[in-house]
Amino acid sequence: MTRLTVKPLCAALMLAWAYGAPALAQSAADSAAAAAPADQAADQQSATAGEPAGQQPAADAQPVQAVSVVQVTGLRQSLRSAESIKRDALQVVDAINAEDIGKFPDRQAGDALQRVAGVQVGRDRGQTSTVIIRGLPDVATTIDGNEIFTAAARRLSYEDLPVQSIAGLDVYKSATPNQLEGGIAGAVNVRLRSPFDAKGLSVTGFVEDRMHKTNGSDATEDRHNPGGGFSVSNRWDTGVGEMGALLDVAVFRENWAYPVQWVDRPENVFSVNADGTATRLDNRVPPVAAPGEVLGQLPNIGGIYNSGKRERQSIHGAFQWKISPQLQASAQYLGMGYQGRNAVNYILDIVTWAPRLTNAVLAPQGSHCNTPRGTICPILSADAAAAQFGPGAYDWDPYMATSTWGQDERTRTNYLNLALRYANGPLTVKTHLAHTRSKFVNDTIIVDQQIPGASSSVYAVGADGHGGYNAVTTPGSANALRDPNGFVLRGLVQNWNEQAGNQWQWRADGTYRLGGDFFRAILAGVRLSQRKASYHGAERASDLAGSVRPTPIGLFGPGFEQLVPGLDRLGGPWYTPSSDFLLDNADVVRNAYGQPGGRVPDDPTRLFDQKERNATFYLSGRWETEFGGIKVSGEAGARVLRDKRTLRGQNRIGDVVSDVSLSTSETNVLPSVSAVVNWSDQWQSHLSAGKTLTRPGFRELNPALSLVPPTVNAPGSGGAGNPYLEPTRSKNLDATLEYYFAKNGYAQVALFHRDIDGYLQNFTQDESIDGVTYRVTRPQNSGKGTLRGVELGGQKFFDFLPGFWSEFGIQANYTWIDGDNETRTDFGSDVFDKTALIGVAKQNYNLALLYEGNGITGRLAATRRGDYVEQIAEPPFGQDRVVKATTFVDLSIGYEVSPNVSLHFDAINLTKAKFESSLGPYQPRDIRYNPTTYALSLRYKM
């Protein structure tokens, strides 16, 4: 769909919504409002521009008319509260609140965010790792308006933050000058719980058990995953003002598994005869088939059985002190911890180096056969007999191997925020001083083992479009993958790194209410930040001495080998080194390879250190007027940023190593204007225009090169950052038309447009390092791009229906997105191609059926993310790698046993949705199996 057709389509949708929505509305005479605690109402009246919820100052509020008050609780109340935030904010914002979050089958913040309109998530190893707003993954995160991050990253790892400590999540899709810069997609503000949220003593808690059903691996045993937590808060009147304190603690343990079957890119081309025999060609470009034969390519096929144990803990404490009616102080502490002991169990079948194939089946002729090297069709399946390519006893093709990465990793993040708030007459001032310290440590030890003389029967495309193994055999074993005596040891790799982040930030926000007929308030603020990010580590590859390779159990004993459950499509379980043995006996393994005990010494070429100082000032004005009886209010202003950065490290491209010592500074001005048009009591629009800027992440700037050594006939891989990245800039336009039903619920249409410059994309190229070829991936800025789309959404309880049916409700949203981008044709090139935007799905939706009544609360939710491009022009044939659309369906049912105790059953990923990528017909890539989770919990409150 072209840009020219978007506007008339959206206009038509808005008109259809405008005429259709009133049919569902109730009479304004029946309007009702949820009662709010007195402290909450007072807090909203004195809210400043620095408040993350986007509340307007008291001068902007209209006189409150007397209405009938209906007390609502539970899910309806939390939805109504979130709806009020959306309606009252000057920005385009969607929110979920504490009780609403509690009704989702979610443990972590990222999981809960996928329920918000226009938000999708990315999952990795069974947990949410990426939050995506309107198709873009560049999302800023704040806690109560302050920047938050994990280790050396620019953003928070959402899987670290449990919903236990959260009062609400606000998703901003447009910005005002008072908001933290960054996030061209938008921003997520986390509102932590506070003791003044409750009227007095409040005690809540939960215990739960989760069962993960590992999809794609029937041999995996289901295991219990306990979790629990409690929260206690109270408030007291004292001789020096009212005080309140809160403490909440949560602990979760998980035994997890995440199978992945992959099909790697082909390394060679075969000349295929009509009888199914095929001969490997050399790497001539273009390749030439033998007379009467055709060209075909067979990819390498393998898998990873990821598994492990992880534990997450959080502790959150808060203190509030209302010193006087004008002055209030508060303190918030949040500690998040993670420990993981993981196994990355690889299986490799490098068939592309087999000299000959038999029973080769070619895909039908079609456009998928057209490549830059000529017409080369995919080979769907083939048999590769063992062939010795050299004089060594282990020089065999196909190269059949298993490998284990034993990983011990941990993260600790501490966040402290001290705040003061003063409100007197027309002036409101709030100031924050916050400190964040976060560190991530990873120790990895890897051992490879080979099955010499193995023959393989493989398929690159099966019934569901993905590959697998029919058989792996040796002369002495019909199932060589389950014969521990058939393996010989290959290489050892040691790797470790430590990443740390440390930040002090101070900000002050003020509002002065003018009370004029047009200009209502002046808002100003300043923010100072000092951030340090560091990285250091080392790696070393080693091999056994001598010409004879021992068997793993012969050198280390039978405890060294482990039969992992594997993947069904790869023949089930396979033997591989035990990750527990590697981690518990690391020095024994090192010494066997002739290496000293302990970590590899620190590598100075991988040292990275960066300091960043930011000074920010904003100034804006809020106004209000009427045109023809239509109230219009808004805000206009600008945010001015001054950044200074120093960066030290070493950059290596191929065999060229250069020192990096950069000192840069820049000033940016980010103007914005927003308006709310109140067409009537129930109709309104949000309009906004502005600029945003996102600084590159510290990891993306880190030039340190990390390498994974190659096998005998498979290339190595590596990754590094790019210290010369520029910020990503965006010009944004947003417009909405919203209808608010009289009792509860709303419906909306939103249009958005982004002009993006310098979007970050990863680029992979082959580099020769010390005579060895590696596939190295680095980020780089792309050219100019555009993102545009329409968002439809709404929520409503069916209280206009009689009896039982009035207890049901619905939440729904649909987002259509179109976009393109200028992608560099080579790393560092100034030549661009017009391509799709990476990671942006054209169609997405969330749909939830709600129920609340008779002591039961239920939600059946479906979340769909459409097809999107994962990589542009994947080598060697320059095809885009596309991820298939997925739909996750979750169920949550709660039953209130008594006013203080409730039981909950949750089921996550009932559809067994999985990640699937491909280059097109007959050319699959990854299939990653997300687990299905069942949970039972007991919750109490006092």
Side-chain angles (χ1 to χ4, degrees):
M1 186 175 296
T2 66
R3 186 184 307 182
L4 294 177
T5 60
V6 172
K7 294 181 180 178
L9 170 63
C10 294
L13 289 170
M14 279 191 169
L15 287 172
W17 206 282
Y19 282 104
L24 297 175
Q26 304 300 299
S27 168
D30 298 327
S31 62
D39 289 305
Q40 179 181 342
D43 194 55
Q44 291 178 0
Q45 287 294 313
S46 60
T48 74
E51 289 299 295
Q55 305 285 350
Q56 295 190 41
D60 295 342
Q62 296 301 303
V64 179
Q65 299 178 355
V67 295
S68 58
V69 175
V70 178
Q71 179 70 33
V72 292
T73 60
L75 181 59
R76 294 179 191 241
Q77 178 181 349
S78 61
L79 291 176
R80 186 173 297 183
S81 177
E83 178 186 316
S84 298
I85 292 174
K86 176 182 180 67
R87 188 171 189 176
D88 296 340
L90 287 174
Q91 311 97 315
V92 180
V93 60
D94 286 280
I96 48 178
N97 279 346
E99 189 69 21
D100 196 13
I101 295 170
K103 300 300 183 182
F104 289 129
D106 303 318
R107 277 184 171 181
Q108 270 71 42
D111 300 320
L113 280 167
Q114 67 182 306
R115 322 299 175 183
V116 179
V119 175
Q120 299 84 45
V121 300
R123 305 188 187 208
D124 179 45
R125 297 197 277 183
Q127 56 188 358
T128 297
S129 57
T130 308
V131 173
I132 299 153
I133 299 178
R134 288 175 172 173
L136 287 173
D138 181 32
V139 178
T141 311
T142 56
I143 289 185
D144 294 323
N146 295 316
E147 187 176 15
I148 187 67
F149 56 87
T150 301
R154 181 76 71 179
R155 308 288 183 234
L156 174 71
S157 294
Y158 287 98
E159 58 268 36
D160 288 346
L161 180 59
V163 297
Q164 165 85 359
S165 304
I166 298 175
L169 296 166
D170 304 319
V171 177
Y172 294 99
K173 301 170 184 178
S174 66
T176 49
N178 64 289
Q179 286 181 275
L180 180 73
E181 65 279 358
I184 58 174
V188 174
N189 182 66
V190 179
R191 288 178 279 119
L192 295 177
R193 294 181 182 272
S194 296
F196 285 2
D197 291 345
K199 293 182 178 180
L201 176 65
S202 173
V203 180
T204 64
F206 70 96
V207 290
E208 71 169 20
D209 186 32
R210 293 193 167 202
M211 190 75 74
H212 292 322
K213 174 63 179 176
T214 302
N215 298 312
S217 177
D218 287 341
T220 302
E221 295 181 2
D222 298 336
R223 294 187 178 182
H224 293 279
N225 302 280
F230 68 88
S231 176
V232 180
S233 71
N234 203 355
R235 54 198 297 180
W236 309 270
D237 286 320
T238 72
V240 290
E242 186 177 12
M243 297 183 183
L246 175 148
L247 174 69
D248 69 62
V249 176
V251 179
F252 301 102
R253 292 178 179 174
E254 284 188 296
N255 293 278
W256 61 275
Y258 186 59
V260 174
Q261 187 268 317
W262 49 264
V263 175
D264 197 10
R265 71 192 200 195
E267 289 297 322
N268 287 298
V269 175
F270 290 83
S271 182
V272 185
N273 198 298
D275 64 2
T277 59
T279 304
R280 190 189 76 212
L281 302 179
D282 58 26
N283 287 321
R284 286 184 300 170
V285 180
V288 178
E293 298 183 355
V294 296
L295 297 177
Q297 49 97 350
L298 179 65
N300 298 315
I301 301 164
I304 312 171
Y305 185 81
N306 299 282
S307 63
K309 298 178 182 179
R310 58 188 173 217
E311 180 175 311
R312 298 187 187 278
Q313 316 91 12
S314 72
I315 180 169
H316 167 226
F319 174 77
Q320 284 182 287
W321 180 15
K322 188 178 289 184
I323 303 169
S324 70
Q326 294 80 28
L327 184 62
Q328 180 173 305
S330 63
Q332 292 265 12
Y333 168 78
L334 178 64
M336 297 173 283
Y338 158 74
Q339 299 84 41
R341 188 181 174 95
N342 310 323
V344 183
N345 302 296
Y346 272 90
I347 188 167
L348 316 170
D349 196 359
I350 311 300
V351 294
T352 57
W353 282 92
R356 288 178 178 80
L357 304 175
T358 58
N359 300 318
V361 177
L362 278 170
Q365 290 283 332
S367 59
H368 48 271
C369 298
N370 299 330
T371 78
R373 299 184 184 182
T375 302
I376 308 174
C377 281
I379 297 175
L380 305 184
S381 61
D383 296 337
Q388 201 161 10
F389 63 84
Y394 314 106
D395 297 339
W396 290 86
D397 281 317
Y399 181 76
M400 189 73 226
T402 64
S403 173
T404 296
W405 299 27
Q407 293 183 323
D408 184 8
E409 57 185 23
R410 50 213 177 272
T411 305
R412 184 63 184 171
T413 302
N414 295 282
Y415 166 81
L416 176 65
N417 175 36
L418 305 176
L420 280 173
R421 183 175 187 167
Y422 175 80
N424 189 10
L427 177 65
T428 301
V429 177
K430 189 167 186 178
T431 182
H432 290 259
L433 177 64
H435 180 241
T436 305
R437 180 186 294 273
S438 183
K439 185 176 183 179
F440 170 79
V441 179
N442 176 282
D443 285 279
T444 299
I445 184 166
I446 308 169
V447 172
D448 298 343
Q449 57 184 29
Q450 176 194 3
I451 306 176
S455 299
S456 303
S457 175
V458 300
Y459 59 96
V461 180
D464 63 353
H466 288 269
Y469 299 160
N470 293 314
V472 176
T473 62
T474 62
S477 178
N479 193 339
L481 295 174
R482 300 187 196 175
D483 180 6
N485 296 303
F487 291 89
V488 296
L489 285 168
R490 300 295 307 197
L492 162 73
V493 176
Q494 305 174 66
N495 181 297
W496 68 271
N497 72 84
E498 296 184 358
Q499 306 173 34
N502 189 356
Q503 182 186 45
W504 285 96
Q505 54 184 315
W506 171 80
R507 66 183 177 95
D509 304 274
T511 301
Y512 190 82
R513 290 172 288 279
L514 301 172
D517 293 335
F518 182 78
F519 290 108
R520 307 303 301 272
I522 296 176
L523 300 87
V526 62
R527 177 179 181 271
L528 302 176
S529 168
Q530 178 175 288
R531 172 81 189 272
K532 297 179 181 179
S534 63
Y535 172 99
H536 68 125
E539 63 191 3
R540 175 186 291 160
S542 311
D543 208 345
L544 294 164
S547 59
V548 177
R549 293 187 175 274
T551 64
I553 58 178
L555 183 60
F556 295 112
F560 181 82
E561 289 288 275
Q562 179 185 8
L563 186 66
V564 298
L567 282 79
D568 300 336
R569 65 188 317 117
L570 298 178
W574 65 74
Y575 271 103
T576 190
S578 163
S579 61
D580 286 337
F581 188 99
L582 295 179
L583 293 171
D584 294 336
N585 303 278
D587 283 348
V588 172
V589 176
R590 292 178 177 119
N591 297 160
Y593 279 83
Q595 298 298 318
R599 277 179 169 179
V600 177
D602 212 332
D603 182 355
T605 67
R606 299 186 66 187
L607 178 66
F608 170 73
D609 182 84
Q610 179 168 324
K611 296 179 182 178
E612 187 176 84
R613 293 184 178 182
N614 314 119
T616 306
F617 173 77
Y618 73 86
L619 179 66
S620 64
R622 283 185 176 169
W623 49 271
E624 182 181 312
T625 188
E626 285 192 6
F627 295 100
I630 297 173
K631 176 188 169 184
V632 182
S633 58
E635 182 176 344
R639 189 173 183 90
V640 182
L641 321 175
R642 177 65 176 174
D643 299 326
K644 291 185 177 181
R645 178 189 302 155
T646 58
L647 184 155
R648 295 185 298 112
Q650 284 196 323
N651 193 31
R652 179 170 189 168
I653 299 180
D655 287 330
V656 178
V657 179
S658 57
D659 290 328
V660 176
S661 182
L662 298 176
S663 181
T664 60
S665 63
E666 61 178 339
T667 301
N668 290 279
V669 179
L670 305 178
S672 65
V673 58
S674 57
V676 179
V677 182
N678 297 107
W679 304 104
S680 68
D681 289 341
Q682 293 172 296
W683 288 94
Q684 77 173 27
S685 291
H686 279 90
L687 308 172
S688 68
K691 291 183 178 181
T692 59
L693 175 143
T694 297
R695 305 175 185 93
F698 296 105
R699 290 174 180 169
E700 286 78 13
L701 291 165
N702 182 0
L705 179 61
S706 178
L707 299 174
V708 176
T711 58
V712 232
N713 48 15
S717 60
N722 180 356
Y724 304 104
L725 292 174
E726 295 289 334
T728 302
R729 294 173 170 83
S730 176
K731 298 177 182 177
N732 308 329
L733 296 172
D734 291 271
T736 71
L737 179 60
E738 305 158 17
Y739 180 83
Y740 291 88
F741 299 100
K743 287 189 175 180
N744 72 79
Y746 68 89
Q748 74 161 8
V749 179
L751 302 176
F752 54 91
H753 183 101
R754 306 282 186 268
D755 287 325
I756 304 168
D757 189 3
Y759 189 61
L760 294 188
Q761 292 183 326
N762 285 329
F763 187 90
T764 301
Q765 64 181 3
D766 289 342
E767 296 180 17
S768 178
I769 300 173
D770 297 329
V772 179
T773 299
Y774 291 85
R775 297 175 187 167
V776 179
T777 300
R778 290 183 172 87
Q780 61 178 349
N781 292 102
S782 57
K784 298 182 182 299
T786 301
L787 181 77
R788 50 194 174 269
V790 59
E791 183 179 284
L792 308 176
Q795 66 183 34
K796 182 79 173 76
F797 264 92
F798 302 147
D799 43 18
F800 54 89
L801 296 177
F804 170 75
W805 299 106
S806 65
E807 295 164 350
F808 285 91
I810 192 171
Q811 284 181 313
N813 67 81
Y814 168 82
T815 308
W816 178 90
I817 304 170
D818 189 25
D820 52 53
N821 195 38
E822 294 178 341
T823 299
R824 298 181 191 272
T825 55
D826 292 298
F827 187 80
S829 170
D830 290 330
V831 180
F832 296 90
D833 282 342
K834 185 72 74 174
T835 67
L837 268 169
I838 289 177
V840 176
K842 181 163 286 189
Q843 299 187 66
N844 310 273
Y845 69 73
N846 296 345
L847 178 64
L849 178 65
L850 315 175
Y851 178 82
E852 187 171 58
N854 302 304
I856 299 174
T857 300
R859 179 189 299 267
L860 180 64
T863 303
R864 182 175 179 83
R865 185 182 182 189
D867 299 345
Y868 63 90
V869 175
E870 185 182 30
Q871 180 174 332
I872 300 293
E874 179 184 288
F877 299 136
Q879 297 159 298
D880 290 352
R881 187 168 70 235
V882 177
V883 176
K884 183 180 178 181
T886 54
T887 303
F888 287 88
V889 175
D890 302 333
L891 173 67
S892 181
I893 299 174
Y895 176 67
E896 191 174 88
V897 180
S898 72
N900 297 326
V901 178
S902 60
L903 286 172
H904 295 262
F905 171 76
D906 299 324
I908 303 170
N909 191 20
L910 288 171
T911 51
K912 299 182 180 180
K914 51 187 179 291
F915 175 103
E916 297 180 79
S917 60
S918 70
L919 299 179
Y922 311 109
Q923 298 176 84
R925 283 298 176 260
D926 285 6
I927 178 169
R928 309 174 192 170
Y929 294 93
N930 293 294
T932 297
T933 301
Y934 302 97
L936 188 64
S937 62
L938 175 70
R939 305 179 187 181
Y940 64 89
K941 59 183 178 181
M942 295 181 1

